Amino acid sequence: MTGAYLLCFLELSFAAFLILLLHSLRSYIGRTPFYLTLGTLLCFSYMVGAAGIQLDFTDTGVNISNTILQPPFMMALLIVYALDGTIEAQRLTIGAAALSGAYFFLALLSIHQSDWGGFVVNVDSKGFLHNLIDTQQNDIAGSMAAIMIDIIVLPVTFQLLRNWKMNVFVSVIGTLLLTQVIDTFVFSWISTLATDGVWLKARNLYFARLPSVVWLGILTSVYLNYNHIKEKAADRKSPLAYLKAMITSYSRGALMQEHTQEWEGRFRIFFENAQDIFFLVKKDGVIADFYVTEKMLQHF
């Protein structure tokens, strides 16, 4: 079992470090590689979940998809929300929802194609396809439902803890642990079709995830502190603003307001830490206003 645990740790760490690396390089290579990697990771987790690969953690086993491959996606969403703002988190959320829906639809369509007339498929491949998708439909549906719950609950919980003046480490770990409670129950309830075994499966899955969540929480906290989250998240925001934005943010006025609020905070940080005097000058050269930081006033 030691080899199995080490392999899982390597897989988890590889996914986490790859996400952190691509996010840190987004200013140089763009955001596309970061989002493509997240989409690939999400689809791969569904495939592994459908294959039924399990870690022999208990007598019932624990699916590698939910324990190792999906938590890094939650880490990525938390980082995007904390550092890039609400709008980027919304885009990631919508992309994940669209990708999950497309994967589920195409998977079911592929099964029917192997049964309908007019299609030719190898007998062995047909059995493999049915075993990969058809027999694991409940687990796939449970994973997708859990992901959808996570992308709603996670930003709200994190913002709530930040508003309570919790430090970055406590906010991140608390958010991941509390989110996983809901995530684990939703997945277990759907995958077992609400049978009597739901609580046993949920308990085993939660404790199996616990080391992964703590390790990802440590990495996320270090990364957020390295990127000066305290300065970028200085303003308090309503925890429900994210949910409200999911419904109303895509009107032109709401988008402009959201962009203005986020850029206002960034410019405020820039002005307050600058070593210069800023002048607002009209076209005719008349000074309309000026701004002097407290640091500059100390020099006079």
Side-chain angles (χ1 to χ4, degrees), residues 259-288:
H259 279 297
T260 300
Q261 290 176 348
E262 292 188 2
W263 280 104
E264 179 185 2
R266 296 173 186 175
F267 280 122
R268 184 183 301 115
I269 295 171
F270 172 75
F271 283 121
E272 290 177 352
N273 291 276
Q275 302 294 327
D276 301 307
I277 302 176
F278 296 92
F279 293 94
L280 181 62
V281 183
K282 296 181 180 180
K283 292 183 178 180
D284 56 3
V286 177
I287 297 176

Side-chain angles (χ1 to χ4, degrees), residues 272-275 292-300:
E272 290 177 352
N273 291 276
Q275 302 294 327
V292 183
T293 65
E294 295 183 2
K295 294 181 181 180
M296 287 296 298
L297 290 175
Q298 294 175 359
H299 294 289
F300 292 101

Side-chain angles (χ1 to χ4, degrees), residues 13-296:
S13 299
F14 172 78
F17 282 116
L18 182 61
I19 289 173
L20 295 178
L21 177 63
L22 292 177
H23 186 268
S24 64
L25 295 176
R26 66 194 185 283
S27 300
Y28 304 98
I29 63 176
R31 299 179 183 273
T32 302
F34 174 71
Y35 287 123
L36 284 176
T37 301
L38 290 182
T40 302
L41 179 64
L42 192 60
C43 283
F44 185 69
S45 71
Y46 292 150
M47 293 178 61
V48 172
I53 302 177
Q54 294 185 341
L55 179 65
D56 192 15
F57 180 77
T58 62
D59 294 335
T60 58
V62 176
N63 199 302
I64 290 296
S65 172
N66 305 101
T67 309
I68 303 299
L69 297 176
Q70 291 182 7
F73 181 84
M74 297 299 99
M75 178 192 74
L77 175 60
L78 183 57
I79 290 173
V80 169
Y81 176 77
L83 296 179
D84 299 334
T86 305
I87 294 178
E88 286 299 322
Q90 291 170 10
R91 291 169 179 168
L92 177 57
T93 298
I94 293 175
L99 182 63
S100 299
Y103 177 88
F104 191 70
F105 174 75
L106 292 176
L108 293 179
L109 192 62
S110 298
I111 294 176
H112 291 299
Q113 283 178 333
S114 65
D115 295 328
W116 289 352
F119 294 97
V120 179
V121 61
N122 184 277
V123 177
D124 295 333
S125 299
K126 180 179 179 180
F128 171 77
L129 186 64
H130 276 268
N131 183 65
L132 183 64
I133 299 175
D134 198 21
T135 60
Q136 298 291 332
Q137 285 188 27
N138 292 338
D139 282 351
I140 297 176
S143 296
M144 293 182 179
I147 288 289
M148 295 302 103
I149 293 295
D150 288 348
I151 59 183
I152 295 175
V153 174
L154 189 142
V156 174
T157 306
F158 179 76
Q159 189 60 56
L160 184 63
L161 293 176
R162 291 294 289 164
N163 287 350
W164 287 346
K165 303 299 182 181
M166 300 291 182
N167 61 45
V168 175
F169 178 76
V170 174
S171 298
V172 170
I173 294 294
T175 298
L176 292 176
L177 291 177
L178 291 174
T179 303
Q180 293 304 320
V181 172
I182 303 175
D183 171 289
T184 302
F185 177 76
V186 170
F187 170 78
S188 302
W189 188 80
I190 295 178
S191 61
T192 60
L193 297 178
T195 59
D196 295 336
V198 60
W199 293 109
L200 177 61
K201 186 171 185 177
R203 185 191 64 182
N204 292 338
L205 179 58
Y206 185 83
F207 284 109
R209 276 179 167 180
L210 195 58
S212 300
V213 171
V214 173
W215 173 234
L216 293 179
I218 294 173
L219 295 179
T220 304
S221 301
V222 172
Y223 185 74
L224 292 181
N225 280 314
Y226 177 78
N227 285 273
H228 308 293
I229 185 179
K230 293 181 180 180
E231 296 178 358
K232 296 185 179 182
D235 295 334
R236 291 170 57 90
K237 293 188 293 186
S238 170
L240 299 179
Y242 178 79
L243 298 180
K244 180 181 179 182
M246 290 295 298
I247 302 174
T248 63
S249 281
Y250 289 93
S251 65
R252 183 179 298 272
L255 280 173
M256 291 181 61
Q257 181 181 8
E258 188 67 33
H259 279 297
T260 300
Q261 290 176 348
E262 292 188 2
W263 280 104
E264 179 185 2
R266 296 173 186 175
F267 280 122
R268 184 183 301 115
I269 295 171
F270 172 75
F271 283 121
E272 290 177 352
N273 291 276
Q275 302 294 327
D276 301 307
I277 302 176
F278 296 92
F279 293 94
L280 181 62
V281 183
K282 296 181 180 180
K283 292 183 178 180
D284 56 3
V286 177
I287 297 176
D289 199 359
F290 69 95
Y291 181 82
V292 183
T293 65
E294 295 183 2
K295 294 181 181 180
M296 287 296 298

